[in-house]
Amino acid sequence: MFSTFTGQSTGRRRNVNLSGNTAHNPWAAPATLGASTTVSRAAAEREKRQREKEKLRAAERIQRVWRGSQIRQHLRAQDRAAIDDLYHHNQNDLERRSAKALPLLLRSFQSKNHNDRRRMVWLCRDLCNSSLHLFRSQGAEGFQLDRLVRKLTGALQKELNLGPDIHVVLSVLLEVMDLRPQAIGHVLDQYYRVMANYCNLASSLQQPFTLLSQAVTKPLSVGTFPEAFLSKAYHAFAFDFLATPDLNIFENNLNLFCADIDLDRLSDTLASEKFEATQLDVPRARLLWLLAHLIALQEAKQQQNVHASYLGVLCSLLSVLSDQIQLAAEPVADAGLDSEDDVAQGTLPAYVSGKLALLTTSRAITGLLETSAPFSLGHESSSLGDASPYAGYVLTLLSCFPNAGEEIRMRLFYSNVPTRTGRVPALEYLWQVMKRTAVFRSIASESEAALGILKSAPQTSNRHGENDSWHQQWRTILLFLELYVFVLKVTDDADFFAILEGDKPGNGTAGEDLPRTRSSGLDMESVKKLTLFLKHLGFVLYYNMAELLASWASSRNLRGLSRPSMFVVTAGVGLDKVRGLVLAAMRGLYERDSRRPFLPKDHWLMTEKFDMAGFKEAVVVEAERQRALGHAEGEEDEGMGEEEEHEPEERDWRHGPHRTVGRQALLEARQKLAAREQARAKVAPKLEVLKNLPFVVPFDQRVMIFRQFITLDKLRRRSGHADPDSWRMMMLEADPTRNLLARHQALIRRGSLFRDAQGSLYPLEEAIKEPVQITFLDQWGMQEAGIDGGGVTKEFLTSVIAEMLSDTSLFVANSKNAYYPNPLIVEQWLALARKRGLSESETRTKLLRQYEFAGRLIGKCMYEGILINVVFAGFFLLKWTTADTKQASLNDLRELDEELYRGLLFLKNNEDQVDDMGLNFSLDVDISTPEDKQPNIVSRPLCPNGNNIPVTKGNRLKYIVQLAKYKLALQPFAQTQAFLKGLKMVIEPGWLSMFNQNELQRLVGGDSGAIDVDDLRRNTVYSGPYQIGDDGQEHETVKLFWEVMEEFGDEERREVLQYVTSTPRAPLLGFSQLFPRFTIGYGGQDEDRLPSASTCINLLKLPRYSRKGVLREKLLYAVKSGAGFDLS
C-alpha cells in the first residue's frame, strides 16, 4: 500500500543520522551489533560510573582529612599556646603547672617539631623539680604514662643535642618505668636504638654517665618486670643496642653498665635465635659488633662459671662470621662497619679486633675450664653434656682463628679439667669421654660402622642446641683429635714410648714429677683402640667419600657436584677438615710405629677391603680414568692453591699487612681446585686410599704399582716404545733430516759433572724422563770409550749425584751422614751478592735452579729404577710425600741438630729453670761465608715482635714449636720447594704420596735388609765362557763364587754388591728389578789378577780361579781397594 516503505525501492539509499553525533561517518554502513558487543559496552559503562563514584568518595575523604588536619592543627596550636602561656607566666606551683601541661603536651606533641621537644623539656624540668610528685600522687593515668614514654622516646630520637637536659629527660623516663614497667614494652626496639645513639656520642654528654647507664639497664632489671617482658627487653638490648657500632660511652664505662646486666639471660635469649648463614636477618657487620660487645661484657663481669648458652652463642656467631674474621686485614682504628660491604672487604675496626683477640688468650681457654663447675666423668650422656659445649667452642675458635691455632691448642694442652674426682689433664679427660661414646666404640670395633654413622648425620650442623647426641659425640671426638695431633708434634720419643710402657700417673709415678706430655699421654691399649678407630674412619672418608657425599646431598636436597668442604659436620668443622684431622693423627702414629715398631705386625693393613689379586690392575685402571678426566677438564688451573715458591705464608707478617683481595682470590682458586680434585677422586677411590692411606696396602704391592705407573708413563710419552733403543730408533726415523736426539745428548767432563749436566740437561725440563745419551770427557778433553746401553747413564747419574752431595754445598749431612738441603745457603749467597754488588734476584734464581735440577736428577734415578748409595734425612723425605712442606715436629729436629734437640727437651721438661735461660722468641743465625773474616750473625724473629717476647714457663711449648718449624720448614723453604719442583717434574706427587719417609729411602737406595744370595743367583746373567751351556750347569769358577758369597757375612756381601752395582742395598722387589742385571763376565785366565767391575752395567769381571780360597782372597782385596770406571 505504501510502496515507498517496503524497502524494495530501486533508488539510492540515504542514511539519516538522527542522534546528533557527528563523530561517526553518516554515510557509513551501520555496524552489526552482536550480543558480546552489547555486553562489553554495558560493562564499560558500569566501570565508568564506578570510577566516577570513587572519585567522589576520594574527594570527600580528602576534604574530611583536610578538615581534620586543620582542626587538629588548630587544636594543637591552642594546646601549644596554652602550654606557652603556662610557662611564660612564672607560676610557682610546679605541681599544678605540670598537671595542666601534661595532657596538653600529650595531645599536641610531635617529635619532629623542635618547639614541642623544647616544651617536653620544660615539663620534664617541672616534674624533676617537683620531685616527680605528679607521678607519685597518682596524678597521671596509666594511659598517659604509656603515651608519655612514647613521646619521650621520640623526642630523644630526634634531638641528640639536649646537653644537660638529657639527664632531666632520662630521670623522668626512669621514674615512669618504675611506676608503670609495661609502658616501655611497646617501644623497646626504638628505645634501645635511642640509647645506642646517645652512647655513640663520645664528648657531647657530660660525665657522669650514671643516668644513661641506668636508662640502658633499667628494662633488664630482674624482679622489676615479668618474664615475657624481660625476654623481649634482652632481645631488643642485643640487636638494637649491642649490635650498634662504636658505642663509645658503653665501651669505655662498662663497669657502670655490666652490674645490672644478666649475662646468662642475655645468652639464653641469643641462643634462641637462628644464626644461620642463609637465614640472617641482621647484617654481618652488626653481628660483629654484637659479638665484640658480648665478649666485652663477659670480660667486665668476670663470671667464675660461664653459662653453657654463652659458649653456644659464641659458637653460633663465630661460625656465621668465620669467613669475615679469617679474611680480616690489619685493624683499622677509625673503621666503623655499618654495612656488609665493609666486612666483605676484610677490614675490622680496632675495638672488634681487640675483643676477638681475647677469645684466644689463656684466660679465655684455660680459665673457662679452671673456673667451671666440676665436669662429669662417668655416664656417657652426662659426660657429653659437660664436654660438648666447651668442645664446640674451642673447635669454632680453631676454625675462625687458624693463625692462632697452635696457641689455642697449647693452652688447651696445659689446661686441667675439674672433675668430681679431681683435676684431670684436658687430653686425658677428652679421651675418657671420647672412648665412652657410642660412635667411638662402634667404629673402633667394626670397620663397616663408620659409613652408616656418617650417613645418619642430622641435616643441620646444630650450632645452637646441645641436645643432639650425634653432635655432642663428634664435637668431643674432633677436639680430642685436634689436641692429640698437637701433642704428637711436641712429644719426643722418650716420653711417648715411656707412656706405652706404663710410666704414667696411676702406675706408681707421681704426676707432678713427670713432663706434661707424659702425664697426659695414652697407654698401649688406648693407642691400639685409637688406631683402629682412625683406620676404620679414615678408610671410609677416602674410599667411600663419593657415596657419603651423595647421601648427604640427597638428604639436603642439593644438586650438582658436592665436595667435602660444602658440608659441616658440627661446630663449623667441615667434612674435609674432619678427614684432614683423622689423616694427621694416623700419620703421626704410623710414623712413630715405622720408626720404632710398637704395634702388632700388619696392624695397619686393610687388605680384606680389596681383591688383592687384581688390586694393581684395578688401581692402574682408576689412574688412567682419572687422567682422562683431567685432560677432559683441562689442566690450566693445575697450580691453583699451591704455595708460593719462595715465601712461606707463615712469614707474611714480615712483609706487611695481608692483601685481602689476593687472599680471597687464592681461597676461591683453592676451592675451585678442590672441586676438581674431588671429581677426580670420585672415579678413583682405590687410588685415593693409596695416596692418602698407603699403609693399609702392603709395601710390596705399592712398589709394584709405582713401577707400573712409571712403565705406563714411559709408554705414553714414548709412543709405545719404553725401551730406550727402540725410542731412539723411532725418533731417528720420525724425521731423518733433523737430529731430534741432539737435545738429549750431553758431553760431561769428569771434573765438572754437575755444572756440565745442568748446562746440557736443564733445558729439557720434563723431557729429562726420556733416555739421554751421555759421553764422558776425561781430564784431557778426550771422549771415553763406551756405548750407552743404559750403563753409562747409570754411571753418569750416580757420579753426578755423588758430586752434587759432596762438592757443591747444596746439601749438608747430619751426624748420621743423612743429607738434606743446606738451610743457610740462600742467605749466604744473597749476602755474598750484596758484598760483590751482584743482583740478588739473579743470584737467588741461579741457586734455586740448581736445587730444581738436583730434584730432577733424583727423580730420574727413581724413574729409571737406578739405586743410589745415599741416605736422605727423614724430615726431608717427609716433605716429598705431602703437599704441606711446612709441617715440623720436635722429633724431626733430632735428625737436624742433636744438640739443639736435647736443649729443647731440657727446656720442655724443666719449667722452673726457664726464666734463668734468658731466651726470647728469636734465633741468632750465622750466615757468614768462607770470605768473611768475622762471623756474620743475624737475628731472626720466630713470631711478630719476637725479639721482645721472653720465653716463659707458660709459652715455652709455643717457643719449641716455633723454633722447630723455623729450623725444619721456614729456613730451608725456598731450597726445599725448588728441589721438590724438580723432583715432581719427573715423579708425579701422587706416586710419591704412596710411601712414608722410610719407604721412600728404600725406594731411592734399595732394601736395607739382609742380602738374599739365592735371589741374586737366580737373577744373574753370565757372559763369555761363563755362559750356562745346554747342560744347564754353571761354570766351576762361578760355582766357587757363589760358595764364597754364601760363606760371607751380610756386611761382606754388601761390599761385593756395592763394588759391582755402586750400592750396597738390594732392589725393593728383589734382584729381578735390578737394571742392568747383575752380570758375571770372563776376566781372563790369570789367577793372580784381581776381579774388576764396571758399575755402570753391574758387571763383575771374574778371572778363572780354580781354588775357592784364592777367589775369596782376591775378591775381598778387590772389594776393599775399590775400582774406577772401566769398560775393558
Side-chain angles (χ1 to χ4, degrees):
M1 186 171 159
F2 301 101
S3 59
T4 57
F5 292 96
T6 61
Q8 301 299 323
S9 172
T10 58
R12 181 178 180 182
R13 291 184 180 180
R14 180 181 179 185
N15 295 320
V16 180
N17 181 12
L18 300 179
S19 66
N21 185 359
T22 60
H24 298 282
N25 182 6
W27 309 106
T32 304
L33 298 179
S36 60
T37 304
T38 303
V39 171
S40 298
R41 282 188 176 180
E45 290 175 358
R46 283 196 302 272
E47 290 178 4
K48 181 178 179 182
R49 290 192 296 272
Q50 183 65 30
R51 285 196 298 270
E52 292 295 333
K53 291 179 181 178
E54 290 178 354
K55 287 180 181 179
L56 289 175
R57 293 194 191 103
E60 292 174 357
R61 282 196 300 271
I62 291 173
Q63 293 173 4
R64 186 166 59 251
V65 170
W66 173 255
R67 286 194 299 269
S69 174
Q70 290 296 310
I71 293 172
R72 285 192 296 274
Q73 288 183 16
H74 178 69
L75 293 175
R76 283 197 186 98
Q78 288 181 346
D79 291 341
R80 287 165 178 160
I83 295 172
D84 292 341
D85 185 61
L86 281 173
Y87 284 95
H88 287 158
H89 294 82
N90 190 12
Q91 295 185 9
N92 293 326
D93 192 349
L94 301 180
E95 295 178 12
R96 291 186 60 189
R97 185 168 66 181
S98 59
K100 292 180 179 179
L102 177 61
L104 296 174
L105 191 59
L106 292 178
R107 288 198 303 265
S108 63
F109 181 83
Q110 290 181 307
S111 60
K112 61 184 178 180
N113 188 303
H114 174 71
N115 291 325
D116 281 352
R117 297 196 296 270
R118 179 171 51 85
R119 296 180 183 99
M120 181 65 75
V121 172
W122 293 346
L123 174 63
C124 290
R125 285 177 185 166
D126 276 358
L127 292 172
C128 290
N129 290 334
S130 63
S131 301
L132 300 169
H133 183 269
L134 176 65
F135 296 157
R136 294 196 173 101
S137 62
Q138 279 78 38
E141 299 292 339
F143 75 92
Q144 290 181 317
L145 296 180
D146 293 345
R147 294 186 63 188
L148 178 61
V149 168
R150 287 197 291 271
K151 303 296 184 182
L152 287 173
T153 303
L156 290 172
Q157 187 172 18
K158 291 293 184 179
E159 184 68 74
L160 293 178
N161 299 316
L162 290 176
D165 293 328
I166 181 64
H167 298 287
V168 177
V169 178
L170 291 178
S171 297
V172 175
L173 262 177
L174 291 172
E175 183 65 22
V176 173
M177 280 190 274
D178 276 337
L179 293 174
R180 188 174 173 81
Q182 62 269 34
I184 196 69
H186 303 292
V187 290
L188 274 171
D189 295 343
Q190 181 186 13
Y191 176 79
Y192 273 112
R193 287 194 292 270
V194 170
M195 294 298 104
N197 290 337
Y198 278 96
C199 285
N200 277 135
L201 302 176
S203 58
S204 299
L205 298 180
Q206 298 179 356
Q207 295 190 13
F209 303 117
T210 307
L211 275 176
L212 182 60
S213 66
Q214 290 177 0
V216 170
T217 60
K218 187 67 175 180
L220 310 176
S221 301
V222 178
T224 305
F225 303 104
E227 280 296 317
F229 176 89
L230 284 174
S231 178
K232 185 178 179 182
Y234 272 96
H235 184 277
F237 173 69
F239 292 101
D240 293 296
F241 184 82
L242 293 180
T244 304
D246 297 319
L247 300 175
N248 298 298
I249 295 176
F250 175 79
E251 295 162 5
N252 298 325
N253 301 273
L254 271 173
N255 58 318
L256 293 176
F257 292 83
C258 67
D260 295 323
I261 298 173
D262 187 342
L263 186 60
D264 292 344
R265 184 179 290 273
L266 176 62
S267 301
D268 289 337
T269 300
L270 290 173
S272 63
E273 294 295 319
K274 288 187 177 180
F275 295 110
E276 295 291 343
T278 57
Q279 302 175 5
L280 285 180
D281 297 325
V282 183
R284 282 179 168 82
R286 291 182 64 85
L287 289 181
L288 273 170
W289 282 99
L290 171 60
L291 176 60
H293 290 141
L294 191 64
I295 297 169
L297 280 173
Q298 165 63 24
E299 179 192 20
K301 292 182 76 67
Q302 297 182 346
Q303 290 188 191
Q304 291 298 309
N305 294 328
V306 176
H307 201 274
S309 60
Y310 171 76
L311 293 181
V313 170
L314 287 186
C315 291
S316 299
L317 290 172
L318 288 170
S319 298
V320 169
L321 302 170
S322 59
D323 291 341
Q324 286 71 31
I325 295 172
Q326 290 182 48
L327 292 175
E330 296 297 322
V332 181
D334 58 350
L337 300 183
D338 297 320
S339 69
E340 290 193 57
D341 294 335
D342 296 325
V343 180
Q345 293 174 5
T347 55
L348 290 183
Y351 183 84
V352 174
S353 296
K355 296 307 174 186
L356 290 178
L358 293 175
L359 295 177
T360 61
T361 61
S362 178
R363 181 181 178 276
I365 297 170
T366 306
L368 281 180
L369 285 176
E370 301 282 343
T371 59
S372 298
F375 282 36
S376 174
L377 193 55
H379 192 268
E380 177 188 348
S381 60
S382 58
S383 299
L384 284 174
D386 289 341
S388 178
Y390 187 79
Y393 170 65
V394 177
L395 288 171
T396 307
L397 288 183
L398 290 170
S399 175
C400 290
F401 304 99
N403 292 334
E406 292 298 303
E407 291 190 27
I408 295 172
R409 297 181 187 97
M410 179 190 68
R411 286 166 179 153
L412 180 60
F413 172 65
Y414 278 120
S415 300
N416 291 311
V417 179
T419 67
R420 295 179 177 87
T421 58
R423 293 188 176 277
V424 179
L427 183 68
E428 174 69 17
Y429 173 79
L430 289 170
W431 168 249
Q432 293 297 331
V433 176
M434 169 182 163
K435 73 178 184 179
R436 291 178 169 87
T437 62
V439 168
F440 179 85
R441 296 197 307 270
S442 299
I443 295 178
S445 60
E446 185 181 350
S447 61
E448 303 292 338
L451 182 60
I453 291 174
L454 289 172
K455 281 185 174 182
S456 66
Q459 294 186 13
T460 63
S461 60
N462 192 27
R463 289 180 178 139
H464 322 291
E466 294 295 333
N467 297 324
D468 193 317
S469 176
W470 197 92
H471 286 287
Q472 290 179 338
Q473 293 180 75
W474 279 105
R475 287 175 182 174
T476 306
I477 291 171
L478 294 179
L479 183 58
F480 169 82
L481 293 179
E482 283 277 10
L483 189 55
Y484 192 66
V485 170
F486 173 79
V487 171
L488 287 176
K489 291 181 182 179
V490 299
T491 302
D492 59 283
D493 282 347
D495 284 346
F496 182 83
F497 288 103
I499 300 169
L500 296 184
E501 295 165 3
D503 186 4
K504 184 180 178 182
N507 295 317
T509 306
E512 296 81 5
D513 299 330
L514 292 176
R516 183 73 174 187
T517 50
R518 188 175 299 185
S519 64
S520 58
L522 303 184
D523 58 24
M524 177 65 77
E525 192 61 32
S526 298
V527 170
K528 286 182 181 179
K529 290 181 180 178
L530 178 60
T531 53
L532 288 173
F533 170 80
L534 294 172
K535 186 175 67 170
H536 296 161
L537 178 59
F539 184 86
V540 166
L541 289 174
Y542 283 99
Y543 189 73
N544 301 106
M545 179 55 76
E547 181 182 352
L548 180 60
L549 291 178
S551 173
W552 281 25
S554 174
S555 64
R556 291 159 175 77
N557 296 320
L558 298 178
R559 295 183 179 181
L561 178 65
S562 300
R563 56 184 184 273
S565 59
M566 294 173 59
F567 299 103
V568 174
V569 177
T570 189
V573 181
L575 192 57
D576 53 344
K577 175 66 175 176
V578 174
R579 190 165 64 173
L581 273 177
V582 172
L583 183 59
M586 260 194 298
R587 283 182 171 172
L589 289 168
Y590 177 68
E591 287 167 11
R592 288 186 190 270
D593 189 41
S594 301
R595 189 163 57 240
R596 180 178 165 183
F598 59 90
L599 291 169
K601 185 181 179 182
D602 298 338
H603 175 80
W604 294 98
L605 296 181
M606 296 187 71
T607 52
E608 71 279 2
K609 295 289 186 180
F610 306 107
D611 176 14
M612 298 308 297
F615 183 74
K616 183 180 75 171
E617 291 73 15
V619 169
V620 170
V621 169
E622 286 187 356
E624 292 303 303
R625 190 186 306 146
Q626 194 179 68
R627 182 181 294 275
L629 178 62
H631 285 304
E633 293 174 343
E635 303 291 346
E636 68 276 4
D637 296 329
E638 190 66 30
M640 284 187 175
E642 295 293 330
E643 301 173 51
E644 293 294 328
E645 181 176 351
H646 302 312
E647 293 295 342
E649 187 176 336
E650 278 81 354
R651 299 175 66 182
D652 283 349
W653 52 267
R654 299 179 190 172
H655 308 285
H658 294 289
R659 298 294 182 182
T660 305
V661 176
R663 294 174 66 192
Q664 180 68 38
L666 180 62
L667 179 62
E668 293 174 355
R670 286 177 175 172
Q671 291 174 345
K672 183 177 180 180
L673 180 62
R676 174 171 296 177
E677 291 300 320
Q678 185 58 32
R680 296 180 185 179
K682 185 177 180 179
V683 301
K686 296 182 180 67
L687 191 58
E688 284 300 296
V689 171
L690 265 182
K691 289 179 179 179
N692 297 282
L693 307 174
F695 36 80
V696 304
V697 178
F699 174 64
D700 290 349
Q701 191 79 23
R702 284 180 275 138
V703 174
M704 288 191 289
I705 293 171
F706 175 77
R707 298 309 313 173
Q708 184 66 26
F709 281 161
I710 290 178
T711 299
L712 291 174
D713 190 61
K714 288 180 179 179
L715 292 172
R716 185 165 44 248
R717 293 182 58 84
R718 302 175 187 178
S719 302
H721 299 276
D723 179 70
D725 291 335
S726 299
W727 176 78
R728 291 189 181 101
M729 185 62 67
M730 181 202 69
M731 294 293 287
L732 291 174
E733 294 175 351
D735 189 351
T737 62
R738 297 169 56 198
N739 185 5
L740 299 179
L741 296 176
R743 63 194 298 257
H744 294 273
Q745 298 172 348
L747 295 174
I748 306 297
R749 294 171 295 172
R750 284 287 182 182
S752 183
L753 295 172
F754 187 78
R755 180 184 301 176
D756 290 354
Q758 184 181 6
S760 300
L761 302 179
Y762 184 85
L764 288 179
E765 295 186 343
E766 191 177 0
I768 199 173
K769 291 182 177 182
E770 319 314 349
V772 293
Q773 189 86 26
I774 302 298
T775 302
F776 283 109
L777 302 178
D778 60 21
Q779 56 184 333
W780 296 282
M782 302 295 293
Q783 293 187 9
E784 295 182 359
I787 300 174
D788 193 350
V792 178
T793 299
K794 178 195 171 187
E795 172 70 11
F796 158 70
L797 289 171
T798 55
S799 300
V800 73
I801 288 174
E803 180 185 286
M804 174 190 76
L805 295 175
S806 59
D807 300 336
T808 63
S809 72
L810 293 175
F811 291 82
V812 292
N814 61 15
S815 59
K816 296 182 179 179
N817 206 35
Y819 287 91
Y820 57 92
N822 185 347
L824 300 175
I825 194 169
V826 171
E827 292 186 281
Q828 289 174 337
W829 275 46
L830 294 181
L832 204 59
R834 288 190 293 268
K835 184 180 297 185
R836 296 177 178 177
L838 302 176
S839 169
E840 292 187 35
S841 175
E842 293 179 1
T843 301
R844 181 190 184 93
T845 301
K846 178 181 178 182
L847 174 62
L848 296 182
R849 282 182 176 176
Q850 292 185 34
Y851 276 103
E852 182 184 343
F853 185 66
R856 294 186 200 172
L857 291 177
I858 300 297
K860 176 69 171 176
C861 289
M862 299 176 69
Y863 195 78
E864 301 295 347
I866 297 174
L867 302 179
I868 54 177
N869 186 22
V870 60
V871 176
F872 289 108
F875 67 85
F876 177 51
L877 287 167
L878 187 62
K879 301 179 190 302
W880 299 16
T881 68
T882 176
D884 182 11
T885 60
K886 299 171 189 172
Q887 62 177 344
S889 72
L890 181 58
N891 280 292
D892 293 333
L893 193 61
R894 186 173 194 171
E895 284 189 279
L896 178 71
D897 191 332
E898 178 78 20
E899 184 179 354
L900 177 61
Y901 168 77
R902 294 187 181 279
L904 292 179
L905 281 188
F906 180 84
L907 175 66
K908 179 169 76 79
N909 298 330
N910 297 272
E911 60 182 34
D912 295 334
Q913 301 183 39
V914 174
D915 295 335
D916 299 333
M917 297 181 183
L919 299 172
N920 58 38
F921 277 77
S922 66
L923 181 68
D924 291 337
V925 181
D926 184 1
I927 61 171
S928 56
T929 63
E931 296 185 4
D932 295 324
K933 297 180 180 180
Q934 295 181 347
N936 184 6
I937 308 295
V938 295
S939 179
R940 298 300 186 210
L942 302 178
C943 64
N945 196 32
N947 293 321
N948 299 318
I949 301 176
V951 178
T952 64
K953 173 182 174 181
N955 65 14
R956 72 186 191 283
L957 205 58
K958 178 185 176 183
Y959 172 78
I960 292 172
V961 171
Q962 294 286 2
L963 182 56
K965 178 178 270 188
Y966 178 82
K967 295 288 287 185
L968 292 168
L970 301 185
Q971 193 176 37
F973 182 82
Q975 303 93 299
T976 303
Q977 287 297 99
F979 176 89
L980 294 179
K981 180 181 178 182
L983 175 66
K984 294 176 181 180
M985 191 175 287
V986 182
I987 305 296
E988 292 188 12
W991 303 349
L992 293 171
S993 66
M994 294 191 299
F995 307 97
N996 65 18
Q997 63 267 43
N998 296 328
E999 294 166 344
L1000 275 176
Q1001 180 58 59
R1002 295 170 65 187
L1003 207 61
V1004 170
D1007 199 335
S1008 58
I1011 301 299
D1012 187 344
V1013 177
D1014 292 335
D1015 182 46
L1016 178 60
R1017 190 172 187 173
R1018 284 192 301 270
N1019 292 285
T1020 298
V1021 296
Y1022 305 96
S1023 64
Y1026 292 153
Q1027 287 184 352
I1028 297 176
D1030 294 336
D1031 58 356
Q1033 296 296 313
E1034 295 174 337
H1035 192 278
E1036 292 300 322
T1037 301
V1038 171
K1039 291 180 180 179
L1040 292 177
F1041 172 80
W1042 289 118
E1043 289 177 12
V1044 170
M1045 287 292 290
E1046 289 285 355
E1047 294 173 359
F1048 278 162
D1050 190 63
E1051 186 62 30
E1052 292 169 321
R1053 293 175 184 175
R1054 290 185 181 280
E1055 291 176 347
V1056 173
L1057 187 62
Q1058 182 170 4
Y1059 177 70
V1060 179
T1061 67
S1062 75
T1063 178
R1065 291 177 290 274
L1068 293 179
L1069 300 180
F1071 286 99
S1072 63
Q1073 302 298 311
L1074 184 65
F1075 180 81
R1077 289 291 185 92
F1078 190 92
T1079 304
I1080 298 178
Y1082 183 64
Q1085 297 182 0
D1086 187 358
E1087 293 194 30
D1088 292 332
R1089 185 177 181 182
L1090 295 173
S1092 61
S1094 295
T1095 58
C1096 61
I1097 54 175
N1098 299 332
L1099 171 64
L1100 173 65
K1101 286 175 280 188
L1102 190 67
R1104 185 183 293 177
Y1105 298 113
S1106 58
R1107 290 177 296 170
K1108 184 168 65 174
V1110 174
L1111 190 151
R1112 177 188 178 95
E1113 179 185 353
K1114 297 292 185 181
L1115 181 60
L1116 283 177
Y1117 187 86
V1119 167
K1120 300 293 184 181
S1121 63
F1125 181 71
D1126 184 13
L1127 279 173
S1128 62

